[in-house]
Amino acid sequence: VQLVESGGGLVQPGESLRLSCAASGFSFINWYISWVRQAPGKGLEWVSDIDNTGTGTYIDSVKDRFTLSRDNANNRVVLQMNNLQPEDTARYYCVRGGRNTFLTGTYLRGQGTQVTVSS
C-alpha cells in the first residue's frame, strides 16, 4: 500500500507545475485523495481533495490556480498548479482520504515532492 508523488521542482513566480500521485495496493476508486503541503518551519496544510467522481475542493488560497484531477483506470491523481507564487513553496504530499481524514491525523501519506517558487 503506497502513494508515490512526482513532478516537483524549482520554478519562477507565475510559472506552472504538474504534480502526480501514483497509488497502489488499495482500492483507489473507493477513496478520496488529498494533497497537503508543508512550508518551511510550518505545519501540514490541507490544499485540495477529490472524490471518486472527480469533484475537487480547494483551500481558498489556491482556488482558480490549482486543479486536481484523477484517473481511476490508472490509480493516479494529478495536481495542476498554475501561476505559482513564493508562498506556494512547500513539500507537497499525497494523502489517502479527504480533508476530514487529514484532520484526524491518521492517514496514509507519500514521501512528498518539493516545490520551490523563487525568482
Side-chain angles (χ1 to χ4, degrees), residues 33-45:
I33 300 293
S34 293
W35 283 93
V36 303
R37 66 186 179 186
Q38 187 165 27
K42 297 189 177 181
L44 285 166
E45 175 184 46

Side-chain angles (χ1 to χ4, degrees), residues 8-108:
L10 171 63
V11 298
Q12 295 187 344
E15 294 186 338
S16 299
L17 277 175
R18 186 178 173 93
L19 305 185
S20 291
C21 171
S24 61
F26 63 95
S27 183
F28 179 79
I29 196 169
N30 290 332
W31 287 85
Y32 280 59
I33 300 293
S34 293
W35 283 93
V36 303
R37 66 186 179 186
Q38 187 165 27
K42 297 189 177 181
L44 285 166
E45 175 184 46
W46 176 84
V47 175
S48 175
D49 66 22
I50 189 166
D51 68 16
N52 58 4
T53 71
T55 300
T57 56
Y58 305 88
I59 195 171
D60 285 349
S61 62
V62 308
K63 281 181 181 175
D64 302 323
R65 299 190 298 122
F66 290 12
T67 303
L68 184 55
S69 60
R70 68 188 293 159
D71 177 353
N72 289 329
N74 292 295
N75 292 356
R76 183 177 296 272
V77 296
V78 173
L79 182 67
Q80 177 67 42
M81 305 187 297
N82 297 329
N83 190 22
L84 283 161
Q85 299 300 314
E87 54 265 32
D88 296 315
T89 294
R91 190 162 186 86
Y92 284 71
Y93 299 90
C94 184
V95 164
R96 187 178 68 173
R99 181 175 180 271
N100 288 339
T101 297
F102 169 70
L103 292 176
T104 67
T106 301
Y107 45 82
L108 176 70

